[in-house]
Amino acid sequence: MISRLATIARLPPRLLGRRASGEGGSIVVEGARKATGGKGRTRVVMTMAVFFGIYATIAGRLVYLGFQNPDLSGGPQSRVTASRPDIVDRNGEVLATDIKTASLFAEPRRIVDADEAIEKLSTVLPEIDYEQTYHKLKSGAGFVWLQRQLTPKQQSDIMQLGIPGIGFRTEKRRFYPAGETSSYIVGLTNIDNQGISGMEKYIDEQGLSDLQASGLAIAKDLKPVQLSIDLRVQHIVRDEIATGMEKYRAIAAGAVVLNVKTGEVVAMASVPDFDPNNPYNAQDKDRLNRMSAGLYEMGSTFKSFTTAMALDSGKVTMESRFDASRPIRIGHQTIHDFHGKGRVLSVPEVFIYSSNIGSAKEAEAVGIDGHREFLHRLGILEKMQTELPEVARPTEPKVWKQVTSITVAFGHGVSTTPLQTAVGCAALMNGGYLIEPTFLTRTQEQAMSVAKKVVSEKTVEGMRYLYALNAEKGSGRNARVPGYRVGGKTGTAEKVVNGRYSKDKNFNAFVAAFPMDDPQYIVLTIADEPKPEKPGMGATAASNAGVMAANIIRRSASMLGVKPDFSHENGATLVSYQ
């Protein structure tokens, strides 16, 4: 027993701790556990520190990127798909609206094989330019357009090709339900849906482009723009001038229907025209809105202004007489009458026989300065103020001489637009007020607030009488429409070709007003270089422009709210003059 204890006493302390039992052994084990727990906490703290460092690095990078300029190559600018307001006619019929369409783009950095991608795309888009597209796909950019405004079928077919690195973006494009019918009035937008002509351009100039640039052009906030156009009448006008152009083999034709009380353009068309939904030929030189952007010598329609000027001056009355028995010779020029009577003519006879000599003598009675002042007063020689951007500035000689006044008296020597001629004639029918034309709706009260008195009531009374008389006994007979009391004046002007007046190329016009007892509308039609309808027939304004005006009135008068009245269909003059 003693020897065994002695042996235990000689063992090392660390062995004693492992082999001993009881209270002393428990103390040793607990100390070991405490040492192990301290190391574990250290590892947890280190792990947390690593994760904190990683997240801090990510957060710092995000903050840095937030202060950098965005990479615009990653996608198109938002203004590309900016909304536009609908354009509607006076009855709410849609003339222009936005529709959604898909546009094809590519991310060149993700394109694996540019050649293969182009070959596949060409099966759906055969018109695609290989070289240009190849350079785009090899550019390494983040984003490039490949084709804008695809059809739904093209989009579907391209999706089935399964080409990596290409996609579609929904954009807005303009759709014109009326097509060619109102193309020159409504106008066009470009590929980015921005107005470039017609009322589309006018709308942009009124602040829409600024809204688009600021991202505030939101579809639901844009109210429709209502025009003064009546789509029903617009269709009739376009149909009649297109038919007339073909029938009379003219190089162009046009017409306008103008409300004489408000200045509203109810319809206006010019052919040749274009389809705004596919305007591939819109820039052709013969695609011109001849009614507002074409300048012409308006021929004998100007005799309306000459006679009105003479009456309004007080120097000429309806009983005045002018000797038209002999031509007028001035300088190297000789003024003849087309169908001269060879005698003294009264003012009504000068008008209904369309006497150049008589008109020249009316102008002489007023004088050169008075003649020029009167035409400017009626706005005939001023640039017209209206919403449509395509408006030409009239031309006139810098210095008016006696020969200028004589030739201008029958519509030669100055050039103006057909629309301005219609506006000037409206002032001779509506009580003597010049009202600038508008393509937006306008009440009569609003019109009178901007109207300018240009001729007296007495002059208006005389001109209404002469218009009615000319339709009964003069050159306006072909424009008569039963029940609608039409009056008017023809104009057949020789065109200037290579600096000289041509004997076989005319610019014809007819200006009509109805109903003559209280005119509500002016209809002015033109035919550029018309040919005889049949061999042996003439090609004067009475035989083409006058006929077109009659057809327009016959088909549209009821839509314009003019009720027919057959009580005067006995051949008597509809308007008296005291």
Side-chain angles (χ1 to χ4, degrees):
M1 183 69 177
I2 295 174
S3 60
R4 187 177 176 183
L5 290 173
T7 303
I8 294 174
R10 290 195 296 269
L11 289 174
R14 59 186 181 85
L15 294 180
L16 285 171
R18 290 181 181 179
R19 296 184 60 181
S21 62
E23 187 177 349
S26 299
I27 293 173
V28 172
V29 171
E30 184 65 26
R33 288 177 178 173
K34 289 182 178 180
T36 304
K39 293 181 180 179
R41 282 195 297 272
T42 301
R43 285 195 296 267
V44 170
V45 170
M46 291 180 63
T47 302
M48 291 175 63
V50 170
F51 277 101
F52 177 80
I54 292 173
Y55 284 116
T57 302
I58 294 173
R61 182 63 177 171
L62 291 175
V63 172
Y64 169 78
L65 293 175
F67 285 97
Q68 305 304 304
N69 291 325
D71 182 8
L72 297 180
S73 65
Q77 299 180 34
S78 60
R79 68 174 179 82
V80 172
T81 56
S83 298
R84 300 184 65 82
D86 285 354
I87 299 177
V88 300
D89 82 336
R90 66 187 306 112
N91 301 311
E93 295 292 331
V94 176
L95 301 174
T97 190
D98 281 346
I99 60 172
K100 290 182 179 180
T101 183
S103 290
L104 178 67
F105 70 87
E107 298 173 273
R109 297 169 189 169
R110 295 180 53 205
I111 297 294
V112 178
D113 188 332
D115 291 303
E116 181 183 8
I118 297 172
E119 287 180 6
K120 288 184 176 181
L121 288 174
S122 64
T123 62
V124 180
L125 306 172
E127 72 281 5
I128 195 169
D129 186 291
Y130 185 94
E131 184 177 353
Q132 185 182 56
T133 306
Y134 181 83
H135 287 308
K136 286 183 178 180
L137 297 182
K138 300 295 287 184
S139 66
F143 177 96
V144 292
W145 284 120
L146 295 183
Q147 186 86 350
R148 304 286 288 277
Q149 300 181 353
L150 302 174
T151 66
K153 185 178 187 306
Q154 288 174 327
Q155 181 186 13
S156 175
D157 291 345
I158 292 173
M159 289 178 67
Q160 294 178 21
L161 296 176
I163 305 173
I166 69 168
F168 302 92
R169 168 144 185 184
T170 299
E171 292 194 283
K172 294 183 178 70
R173 65 166 292 184
R174 215 57 168 156
F175 175 64
Y176 303 93
E180 299 96 332
T181 302
S182 56
S183 56
Y184 284 120
I185 296 176
V186 177
L188 281 173
T189 59
N190 61 16
I191 194 72
D192 293 330
N193 220 24
Q194 296 170 321
I196 57 174
S197 69
M199 294 302 289
E200 294 277 31
K201 183 177 181 180
Y202 167 78
I203 293 170
D204 278 28
E205 292 172 347
Q206 299 309 298
L208 178 64
S209 57
D210 294 334
L211 287 176
Q212 290 176 334
S214 62
L216 298 177
I218 302 172
K220 65 182 181 64
D221 297 332
L222 298 175
K223 295 182 179 180
V225 177
Q226 187 173 44
L227 303 188
S228 58
I229 303 303
D230 187 320
L231 185 57
R232 302 168 303 172
V233 181
Q234 180 71 23
H235 168 75
I236 291 170
V237 167
R238 201 266 175 185
D239 182 59
E240 285 297 336
I241 63 172
T243 300
M245 178 180 169
E246 180 180 359
K247 181 178 180 180
Y248 305 117
R249 292 169 291 153
I251 64 172
V256 61
V257 178
L258 181 73
N259 186 320
V260 304
K261 307 287 189 179
T262 64
E264 293 172 299
V265 177
V266 180
M268 187 177 77
S270 175
V271 289
D273 52 18
F274 60 92
D275 182 357
N277 295 309
N278 184 28
Y280 69 94
N281 58 350
Q283 298 299 319
D284 291 356
K285 63 179 182 179
D286 64 335
R287 262 60 181 184
L288 169 72
N289 182 4
R290 288 167 168 79
M291 301 307 293
S292 66
L295 290 176
Y296 303 98
E297 294 186 348
M298 293 298 297
S300 293
T301 56
F302 253 49
K303 291 172 183 173
S304 298
F305 308 129
T306 304
T307 301
M309 171 188 67
L311 294 173
D312 203 60
S313 71
K315 298 177 180 180
V316 174
T317 68
M318 214 56 100
E319 291 72 33
S320 298
R321 303 174 71 82
F322 296 97
D323 185 1
S325 59
R326 292 184 300 275
I328 297 176
R329 290 183 175 83
I330 180 167
H332 299 290
Q333 298 189 44
T334 303
I335 310 301
H336 298 273
D337 280 345
F338 185 62
H339 291 299
K341 300 299 178 181
R343 60 177 175 83
V344 175
L345 301 175
S346 65
V347 168
E349 289 177 324
V350 169
F351 194 81
I352 66 174
Y353 297 144
S354 200
S355 170
N356 293 339
I357 299 171
S359 297
K361 293 191 174 183
E362 287 178 342
E364 283 183 321
V366 175
I368 297 172
D369 293 338
H371 192 178
R372 186 179 188 184
E373 185 276 332
F374 184 82
L375 292 180
H376 278 278
R377 192 197 315 167
L378 261 67
I380 304 301
L381 299 181
E382 302 285 348
K383 185 174 181 180
M384 184 169 53
Q385 300 300 313
T386 189
E387 299 86 9
L388 206 64
E390 294 79 25
V391 173
R393 182 181 294 277
T395 62
E396 62 172 314
K398 291 183 178 180
V399 178
W400 278 48
K401 300 179 180 179
Q402 185 179 10
V403 66
T404 305
S405 183
I406 288 175
T407 56
V408 170
F410 51 85
H412 286 281
V414 296
S415 297
T416 190
T417 70
L419 179 56
Q420 282 176 275
T421 304
V423 171
C425 290
L428 306 181
M429 297 289 121
N430 68 6
Y433 293 95
L434 178 64
I435 305 173
E436 293 286 3
T438 181
F439 290 85
L440 302 174
T441 54
R442 178 199 280 166
T443 65
Q444 189 169 346
E445 291 73 21
Q446 291 171 330
M448 292 308 296
S449 69
V450 298
K452 182 173 66 173
K453 185 76 169 179
V454 289
V455 296
S456 68
E457 293 282 353
K458 187 70 172 176
T459 300
V460 171
E461 185 182 345
M463 293 309 300
R464 289 180 179 179
Y465 170 78
L466 292 175
Y467 266 41
L469 185 66
N470 192 48
E472 179 189 337
K473 299 181 178 180
S475 58
R477 290 189 294 270
N478 286 347
R480 290 182 297 182
V481 179
Y484 290 108
R485 296 98 73 199
V486 179
K489 184 71 184 78
T490 54
T492 304
E494 294 177 345
K495 291 185 67 174
V496 176
V497 179
N498 298 323
R500 301 178 65 88
Y501 285 105
S502 172
K503 296 297 182 182
D504 55 0
K505 292 184 179 180
N506 293 336
F507 179 83
N508 293 353
F510 187 87
V511 56
F514 74 101
M516 284 312 306
D517 47 341
D518 182 20
Q520 302 293 313
Y521 295 95
I522 288 284
V523 176
L524 189 145
T525 54
I526 63 170
D528 196 352
E529 297 185 22
K531 311 299 186 298
E533 184 180 356
K534 297 178 181 178
M537 292 182 62
T540 60
S543 61
N544 41 64
V547 174
M548 289 191 295
N551 291 340
I552 290 172
I553 295 170
R554 183 180 298 106
R555 295 175 62 184
S556 66
S558 60
M559 298 176 185
L560 295 170
V562 180
K563 296 180 180 180
D565 180 1
F566 298 95
S567 62
H568 296 286
E569 298 302 314
N570 55 5
T573 304
L574 305 178
V575 180
S576 62
Y577 180 79
Q578 301 297 326

